[in-house]
Amino acid sequence: MSLLCLSLPSCCALAGLDSDSLSRAAVKFSQLDIKRLLIFSAWGGFGFTPIAYNWYNIIEATVPAMAYRGVAKMAMDQILFPPAITAFTFFCLTIIEGLLAGVSLTMDKGLAFGGSVESVSALASKGVDKVKGDLGATLVTNYKVWPAVQVLNFTVVPLKLQVLFVNCVAVWWNFVLSMTQHK
């Protein structure tokens, strides 16, 4: 038992874990913005996923059987889908978050109401500005990652699992989008 007790702090120190790190992680978790998490999760489940499912079926039906079909499908996907879905995501999230601006839901403070909400037309204008300001740089990042992912997706993953595969990779990508949306 004493050997375990002596080695556990050493292992934690080597892994970079100490009481200060753990307490900072606990504080950050206690301040989790549940509203933001729910909005982004709802967008992923009810917005992106159905759109992507239909999009992959369109790609499957459109790109003929040929050599390098996976590359052709990736090209069709990357030329058309990222600009449209990313712009739509920024626009919709700006409006939804604006409409819910008077609601706060965090782990440490719970549910709170207050503050003013802008008109839908003002939020739409902000959404357009968000797209204009952030779409280009976001697409540059997109093209560093997604072409390789999509070649793999279209050549190895069965059609019925392609959205699931993309959603798994999108956990990281949604982090990028969220950071861009909230900078």
Side-chain angles (χ1 to χ4, degrees), residues 130-142:
K130 181 72 177 170
V131 171
K132 286 179 182 177
D134 292 338
L135 182 62
T138 304
L139 289 176
V140 167
T141 303
N142 172 87

Side-chain angles (χ1 to χ4, degrees), residues 74-154:
M74 177 278 297
M76 179 180 173
D77 175 68
Q78 290 298 297
I79 290 167
L80 300 174
F81 196 66
I85 197 68
T86 305
F88 189 61
T89 298
F90 285 154
F91 183 78
C92 288
L93 288 178
T94 299
I95 292 173
I96 292 166
E97 289 173 347
L99 291 173
L100 296 173
V103 178
S104 173
L105 179 59
T106 59
M107 292 288 283
D108 59 341
K109 296 178 183 168
L111 182 62
F113 298 95
S116 61
V117 176
E118 296 180 68
S119 70
V120 174
S121 62
L123 292 170
S125 178
K126 281 186 173 183
V128 169
D129 291 343
K130 181 72 177 170
V131 171
K132 286 179 182 177
D134 292 338
L135 182 62
T138 304
L139 289 176
V140 167
T141 303
N142 172 87
Y143 294 130
K144 292 176 183 177
V145 175
W146 284 102
V149 169
Q150 290 297 54
V151 166
L152 179 65
N153 191 27
F154 292 135

Side-chain angles (χ1 to χ4, degrees), residues 44-96:
F46 300 110
F48 175 81
T49 298
I51 293 168
Y53 174 81
N54 288 307
W55 174 243
Y56 290 149
N57 283 305
I58 290 169
I59 291 173
E60 184 68 22
T62 304
V63 178
M66 64 175 146
Y68 304 107
R69 184 170 192 242
V71 174
K73 289 168 79 174
M74 177 278 297
M76 179 180 173
D77 175 68
Q78 290 298 297
I79 290 167
L80 300 174
F81 196 66
I85 197 68
T86 305
F88 189 61
T89 298
F90 285 154
F91 183 78
C92 288
L93 288 178
T94 299
I95 292 173
I96 292 166

Side-chain angles (χ1 to χ4, degrees), residues 163-174:
V163 173
L164 177 62
F165 175 76
V166 165
N167 280 339
C168 290
V169 177
V171 169
W172 169 81
W173 181 245
N174 289 337

